[in-house]
């Protein structure tokens, strides 16, 4: 009988994908909130808001995700210059 390795939790991606999944999730959540607030402020709570928001969110996500992929290494370097590393035990 063959058994599967138990090193990976069922249904989870390998750790090597974290550098793509983190900006993906971040860009989805941030653009969802920001485009919603911006569209609501522009149009008010109307039917036009509900019709416009999905397109506004989609366009903003199409810009945000590649931008995050491009600038994340720079942001990590800036944060490393500003924040002290954790103390070694």
């Amino acid at each position: 009988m063959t058994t599967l390795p138990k090193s990976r939790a069922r249904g989870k991606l390998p750790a090597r994908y974290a550098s793509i999944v983190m900006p993906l999730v971040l860009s989805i959540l941030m653009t969802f909130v920001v485009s919603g607030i911006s569209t609501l402020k522009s149009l008010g709570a109307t039917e036009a808001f509900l019709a416009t928001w999905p397109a506004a969110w989609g366009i903003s996500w199409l810009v945000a995700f590649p931008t995050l992929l491009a600038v994340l290494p720079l942001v990590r370097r800036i944060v490393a210059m500003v924040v002290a590393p954790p103390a070694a035990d």
Side-chain angles (χ1 to χ4, degrees), residues 6-74:
K6 294 189 180 195
S7 62
R8 190 173 79 150
R10 184 179 182 144
K12 290 191 176 183
L13 294 170
R16 70 178 177 265
Y17 293 110
S19 64
I20 298 294
V21 173
M22 193 278 297
L24 174 68
V25 173
L26 180 62
S27 65
I28 289 170
L29 294 174
M30 289 299 297
T31 57
F32 185 80
V33 171
V34 172
S35 67
I37 292 169
S38 178
T39 306
L40 185 63
K41 183 164 174 20
S42 295
L43 301 177
T46 64
E47 289 183 19
F49 166 76
L50 293 175
T52 305
W53 185 17
W57 172 69
I59 292 167
S60 64
W61 180 80
L62 285 173
V63 172
F65 181 55
T67 301
L68 271 172
L69 290 176
V71 301
L72 204 52
L74 174 63

